[in-house]
Structure formats: C-alpha cells, structure tokens
Amino acid sequence: MSDIISLLPDSVANQIAAGEVIQRPASVVKELVENAVDAGAKTIRVIIVDAGRTSIQVIDDGKGMSETDARLAFERHATSKIRQADDLFALHTMGFRGEALASIAAVAQVELLTRMAEDEIGTRLQIAASKVVAQEPAAAPLGSSFKVDNLFYNVPARRKFLKSNTTELSNILQTFERIVLVYPDIHFILHHNGAELQNLKPASLRQRIADVYGRQYTQELLPVEVQTSLCNITGFVGKPETARKKAGHDFFFVNGRYMRHPYFHKAVVSAYDRMIPEGMQVPYFLYIEVAPAAIDVNIHPTKTEIKFENEQAIWQVLTATVRDALGRFCDVPSIDFDVQGKPDIPVFDPVHDQITAPKVSYDPDYNPFRSTSSKGGHLAPSYPRTSVSPNPDWEQLYDIVSSGPSTPSEKDQSLFPTDEGDLSPLAPHPSPLNTDLSPLHYQYKGCYIMTAVKSGLMIIDQHRADVRIRYERYLQQLENHTVATQQLLFPESVRFSPAESVVLQKMLPSLTAMGFDLSDLGGNSFAVNGIPAGLEGVDPVTLIRQIVADSEDDSLSDDSATVKSTVSSKLSTVNSKVALSLAQCVATPYGQVLSNDEMEQIINELFACSNVNYTPNGKSILTILPQTDIERLFAQKG
C-alpha cells in the first residue's frame, strides 16, 4: 500500500496560515504598523486605497533592514524577537512569531523598500504568492516602506467574502485607534483615497485621546494610577455622567498591547455600582503593566486575548483603583461650615422666642353636596361627565321609595331633575375611581403594565412595548417620506472619531429621511440643525451619538460582495437600524409613572403592531399568567 501522507508545499502552508493571521485588510494594517513600532519609528504613515482592497502602504522612519534581513523576513517563523523558548515569557515587543509577513506575502502582491542608517543604498524586494519576483538595490530613505496590493487576489473565495468598503474602513480605523492610543509619543498619519483622516502629532496620553475622540474627553476623564507588587495600572476612566447605553470607548492595554477581557470589564463596571443606571457603560482607557512571565499572549492568533496568572487578584486591584479615582476626583456637592462667610444660624431662646402653633382656617358651613357654599357662592366640585346636582332634600327620597310604585305628585316630581340632559335618579352613578369606560390597569414598580385578560393576567414591559410601537411608526414614516423636521433655535455641533464618522456618513441619507438636519463641518465634526418633530426635550447631541454607537456595534452594511442585493434592500436595512436606534432612545423609560389613559394607549397601540410579542431585536414584550396558575397559588392545601 502506497503512502498517502505528504508535506504541504510552502505556498499552500502559507495560505493556510494566512487564514488565521490575515482575516481582512485591518489585519494587514495591524501587523505592518506594529512592525514599524518595533523598528523604533517616530513617524508612521498609513496610506489606504479602497478600504485596503486595492492597496495598503505603511511607511516608517525606523532602523530599516539589510538586504539579507529583507529577504529572510518573509520566511515563515523568521523573527528577530526571540531566540529560544524562554524568550516567550519575556516579551517586550508587539510581534514575535514571524508569521505576519509570510502570511501577507502568501495572499497578496508585496513590495518592500528599505534602508538602514549605515547603508548608502537600500533594497527593493517584490514578492507575489510567496514567490520572489525581483530583488535589486535601490535608492531609499531611512526606514521601511511596505506596499501590499490586491489582497487575496489568489484566493478568490476569501476576497468575495470581504465586507463593504464602509465596514472594512471602519475596521481599519478601529485597529488604527487601538495602536495610536498606546504610543502617544509617535506621529501617526492616515490617508484613505487621497484624503487625510488622521494626523496625530506626539502629545500626552490625555491629549492623544482628545485628538482621536474629541475635545470633550479632556473634561470627562478622571486619571487612574496605582503601583503594586502585582501590577501597575494607569490611564483614565469616565465620569459617571458620561455613561451610555452601549459601550462606547472601553480599552484595556496590557504591556502596550490591546486586549479584550470581559472579566476585567466587569471589575470596572462594578466600581460604578449605584452611581450609574443598570446596563449603562462608561468609557475607560486603562493600561496594565505586569511581568511578562505572568501572562500568556500566545493563546489567540491575533493576540487580542491574554491569559493572566493572577486574574482574581488583578480584578480586586482594578476595582479598588477605579473606586479610588471616582472618590478623589469626582466633585460631590458639600457644605463646609469652617470656611469664612458661613451661614448665620440663630440660636433658639425659649424665654424670648415665642413660638405659636400654626392655625388652619376652614369653613364650618361648607357642604360638598350643595351647588354653592353657604358663604361664598363658589361652585362645589362635581363628578365629571354629569351635570346632576344632588337635591338638598335627599331624605324625602326614602318616603317615595316606601310609598310603592305610585305615580309621583307634582310636589314629588320636583325632587327629580327635569333637565333633558340630566340623568335618571335610579340610573347608576359613575364611579369616582374610573370616570371613563376604559378598563383599569396597574403599573408595577414603574416598569410593567399589568391588566386583566380573559385567560388570566397580562404583564407588559412598558419600555419594550413603546420601542416596538415607535419602531414601526418611524419605519412607516421613512417608507412614506412623511417625517417633519423641527429646526433647532441654536444648532449644536458634535465631533466623532474617524470610525464613527464613517458610520455616520453611511447613515446620513436615512437620518435625513428620518427628519434630522445634519451638515458636515469637516474634521469629523457635524452640526445638528434639526431633529424629527415630536422629540422635544431630547438632547440632540446625545441622541445622535447613541444612534451612531448602536449602528457602529452592529455593522450596518455587512453585505458580502457575493450578495446581489439591490439598492432598495440595502436602504431598507439602514432604515430599519436607524428606526430601531431612534425608538430605543426616545421610548418610555423604566421608572416613568404612567396614568391609566397612558397605559391604555400603549396597550392599544401595541396590539395594532405587526408583532406584539417581541421587539425588533428579539426581546420579549409581554407574558400572560394563566388564570389556572393564579387559582392554584391560592388553592387550600389538604
């Protein structure tokens, strides 16, 4: 029997490895920029064409490479970071496995131009599909320039499954932000299709955060700093008033490397216990320094997940550090009686100070059953929806009832109202507890509406019900183009990060159809000139930010290139997302007390919707407690 196992060719092996390391254009940007940082660059320029599909170029002024190193850098597991296995536990650089350049060269056309400081002439190297096309001496500036063209050109299936340019550019910007926030002393420049998106000059960490996400962060962040034998934690956390419904900008960096860690995220959130509403998130930028031997960064291909040796201890340090920052830097109103100009509080003197009890004035002759009071002449209160005034000689009614069904005399008839619109004396009087014909509802803890139905007790989530109602209303208005715009008396400006700005540009047609009036001011800033009518009292800046944050997380236009979707279907997807975000922002909040009429209106409008059971994002709206279960709860035992 012949052997069936054979070694894969290097080109095939590199393509398989590229599937783990290079997932999209953002992965190429991450690997190349991190290599430039490790090379000691002070200025890094990133040039993107067509969201990375056509070209990605990273230029740095680092130490460069020699002719031999340039050729060897594209071989698998060729690295200058480690020499032996023990070096894996003492890593101080971003890259170390030597797979990035080999993986990129396996699925793209790569051109490298590099020169070291001691060399007079540099090296130009061209590689396509892991094969060297050309290598020659060339004039080059100090540093390296990597240009990656036609990503996944030799893997058509991978290229087809790339997302839209908007989504891929947003991913590139997010990856770029995670790097620039770690190295504020490096000058980063980002271009896309000839337009400059970012130009971040060296600055302090707080200023770098403000340059990326807006100047409002300079006033909204609290410094965090602690040094322990286990770890050192520095950075900034947001004030409680910066809390949002969805996580905005929450970043963990460990030894200069971006990390996702849900366990540590809970540690930060727990520090804000009872300071922010449940379910809200605050921005934070936390930098953790630990001994390299106490972590393992090699558990994930993209190195975004890190295993800690003492997670529980770091969790406690992190929570205590954030709480300390909130306690030291949050301004809490207080009264200080030891300062000059203290309030003058008189001392009580029981001898000279004569204090008398307050007196209550009332009318002893007031009769609520009379049409007018005995002294004033003011009309007495009456029940709504009736003009009947009780007869003062009401005791004579008993004589009429006891006399039997005889015809009343003219004198007796004067006891009954004779107006045509008045009610019969024997007609049931309307109840003061329910003056209209609508059924009574009960609101439980400001969150749920409880009402009786034929099969039992129906419990409705008031916020989710209003989300469903408003979502269908806004969606219908978008489709019918019947939304009116309420212009603001004083327009407000709002600044977004580049990634958020890309999402907003994609949503702008739908927001305009929804009734928003936004104008681009340049520099990722927008002016809010108008909002949809009927949203009086809503902060327009907070509303716009929340809509963009919701849409950014869910990736509005993730249609693959293989899907032959029409423009109308794409627009419908965006409209649906905008309508849902707006409905969630302005729907009836939890804790708002509702009148019986308001609860009745929510119930009626909910059952007029196309789906009464679930919100547009799949959350349950109502449940029914069956009558049999209620009776079983009160059934006597034995």
Side-chain angles (χ1 to χ4, degrees), residues 169-187:
L169 179 60
S170 179
N171 290 325
I172 291 175
L173 291 171
Q174 291 179 0
T175 301
F176 186 77
E177 292 167 2
R178 294 170 182 174
I179 299 176
V180 302
L181 291 175
V182 184
Y183 302 98
D185 55 334
I186 299 179
H187 186 189

Side-chain angles (χ1 to χ4, degrees), residues 170-231:
S170 179
N171 290 325
I172 291 175
L173 291 171
Q174 291 179 0
T175 301
F176 186 77
E177 292 167 2
R178 294 170 182 174
I179 299 176
V180 302
L181 291 175
V182 184
Y183 302 98
D185 55 334
I186 299 179
H187 186 189
F188 289 94
I189 305 172
L190 176 63
H191 292 265
H192 179 253
N193 290 344
E196 183 179 272
L197 299 184
Q198 287 278 32
N199 191 343
L200 305 173
K201 297 181 180 180
S204 63
L205 179 58
R206 181 189 287 269
Q207 184 60 43
R208 173 59 59 88
I209 295 174
D211 291 340
V212 176
Y213 296 113
R215 287 179 293 179
Q216 73 276 4
Y217 273 93
T218 58
Q219 304 297 329
E220 295 178 352
L221 296 179
L222 303 176
V224 173
E225 184 174 3
V226 65
Q227 295 182 357
T228 65
S229 58
L230 184 63
C231 64

Side-chain angles (χ1 to χ4, degrees), residues 85-151:
D86 293 341
D87 294 340
L88 290 172
F89 304 100
L91 291 172
H92 296 278
T93 57
M94 301 297 292
F96 59 91
R97 293 185 300 201
E99 294 181 349
L101 293 181
S103 299
I104 295 172
V107 293
Q109 299 169 340
V110 182
E111 181 182 16
L112 169 62
L113 185 62
T114 181
R115 181 178 70 85
M116 300 181 68
E118 57 270 21
D119 296 335
E120 296 183 356
I121 193 168
T123 302
R124 183 190 304 275
L125 180 65
Q126 294 179 344
I127 300 179
S130 299
K131 296 182 179 179
V132 177
V133 177
Q135 181 176 359
E136 58 185 2
L142 176 63
S144 301
S145 172
F146 286 88
K147 187 177 182 182
V148 180
D149 295 331
N150 301 323
L151 184 64

Side-chain angles (χ1 to χ4, degrees), residues 415-429:
L415 299 176
F416 298 90
T418 57
D419 294 341
E420 184 178 356
D422 290 344
L423 299 176
S424 170
L426 300 181
H429 198 283

Side-chain angles (χ1 to χ4, degrees), residues 134-379:
Q135 181 176 359
E136 58 185 2
L142 176 63
S144 301
S145 172
F146 286 88
K147 187 177 182 182
V148 180
D149 295 331
N150 301 323
L151 184 64
F152 299 130
Y153 81 100
N154 57 342
V155 190
R158 292 289 304 278
R159 188 173 179 87
K160 288 180 180 179
F161 280 94
L162 288 177
K163 308 300 182 181
S164 64
N165 284 356
T166 301
T167 301
E168 296 298 344
L169 179 60
S170 179
N171 290 325
I172 291 175
L173 291 171
Q174 291 179 0
T175 301
F176 186 77
E177 292 167 2
R178 294 170 182 174
I179 299 176
V180 302
L181 291 175
V182 184
Y183 302 98
D185 55 334
I186 299 179
H187 186 189
F188 289 94
I189 305 172
L190 176 63
H191 292 265
H192 179 253
N193 290 344
E196 183 179 272
L197 299 184
Q198 287 278 32
N199 191 343
L200 305 173
K201 297 181 180 180
S204 63
L205 179 58
R206 181 189 287 269
Q207 184 60 43
R208 173 59 59 88
I209 295 174
D211 291 340
V212 176
Y213 296 113
R215 287 179 293 179
Q216 73 276 4
Y217 273 93
T218 58
Q219 304 297 329
E220 295 178 352
L221 296 179
L222 303 176
V224 173
E225 184 174 3
V226 65
Q227 295 182 357
T228 65
S229 58
L230 184 63
C231 64
N232 299 332
I233 301 177
T234 58
F236 299 92
V237 295
K239 295 181 179 179
E241 55 266 28
T242 62
R244 297 186 177 93
K245 290 184 178 180
K246 282 199 174 184
H249 306 123
D250 47 348
F251 294 93
F252 281 115
F253 301 96
V254 179
N255 293 354
R257 190 187 306 274
Y258 170 77
M259 171 194 67
R260 290 195 301 262
H261 208 293
Y263 184 60
F264 288 169
H265 174 75
K266 292 182 180 179
V268 176
V269 174
S270 64
Y272 288 84
D273 188 26
R274 299 184 182 181
M275 300 181 66
I276 62 176
E278 185 177 356
M280 303 289 279
Q281 306 289 340
V282 292
Y284 57 82
F285 306 84
L286 296 175
Y287 300 78
I288 304 175
E289 295 291 335
V290 297
I295 60 174
D296 186 2
V297 300
N298 199 29
I299 64 174
H300 193 272
T302 59
K303 300 185 284 290
T304 56
E305 298 180 10
I306 298 177
K307 180 64 178 178
F308 286 79
E309 184 178 356
N310 300 308
E311 284 189 348
Q312 187 173 3
I314 296 177
W315 193 95
Q316 297 174 351
V317 173
L318 187 59
T319 303
T321 302
V322 176
R323 286 178 177 172
D324 179 68
L326 293 174
R328 287 190 296 119
F329 296 102
C330 273
D331 295 332
V332 180
S334 61
I335 300 177
D336 189 358
F337 293 102
D338 296 329
V339 299
Q340 188 176 5
K342 57 185 178 181
D344 185 13
I345 303 177
V347 180
F348 173 69
D349 188 352
V351 178
H352 299 87
D353 296 341
Q354 300 295 329
I355 299 178
T356 59
K359 296 181 179 180
V360 179
S361 60
Y362 64 96
D363 184 4
D365 298 328
Y366 174 72
N367 187 352
F369 294 100
R370 298 181 182 275
S371 59
T372 59
S373 63
S374 60
K375 290 185 177 182
H378 299 287
L379 293 177

Side-chain angles (χ1 to χ4, degrees), residues 466 470 473-474 477 482-488 514-516 530-539 543 582-583 585-588:
D466 205 17
R470 293 179 180 271
R473 181 186 307 163
Y474 293 145
Q477 290 175 349
T482 58
V483 184
T485 301
Q486 176 66 46
Q487 295 294 329
L488 299 180
M514 180 65 74
F516 288 94
I531 59 176
L535 301 183
E536 291 76 8
V538 178
D539 184 11
L543 179 61
L582 185 58
C585 293
V586 301
T588 303

Side-chain angles (χ1 to χ4, degrees), residues 561-591:
T562 57
V563 178
K564 303 294 185 179
S565 56
T566 60
V567 175
S568 60
S569 65
K570 290 183 179 180
L571 184 60
S572 177
T573 303
V574 179
N575 289 347
S576 177
K577 186 58 190 176
V578 172
L580 176 58
S581 300
L582 185 58
Q584 290 175 333
C585 293
V586 301
T588 303
Y590 292 113

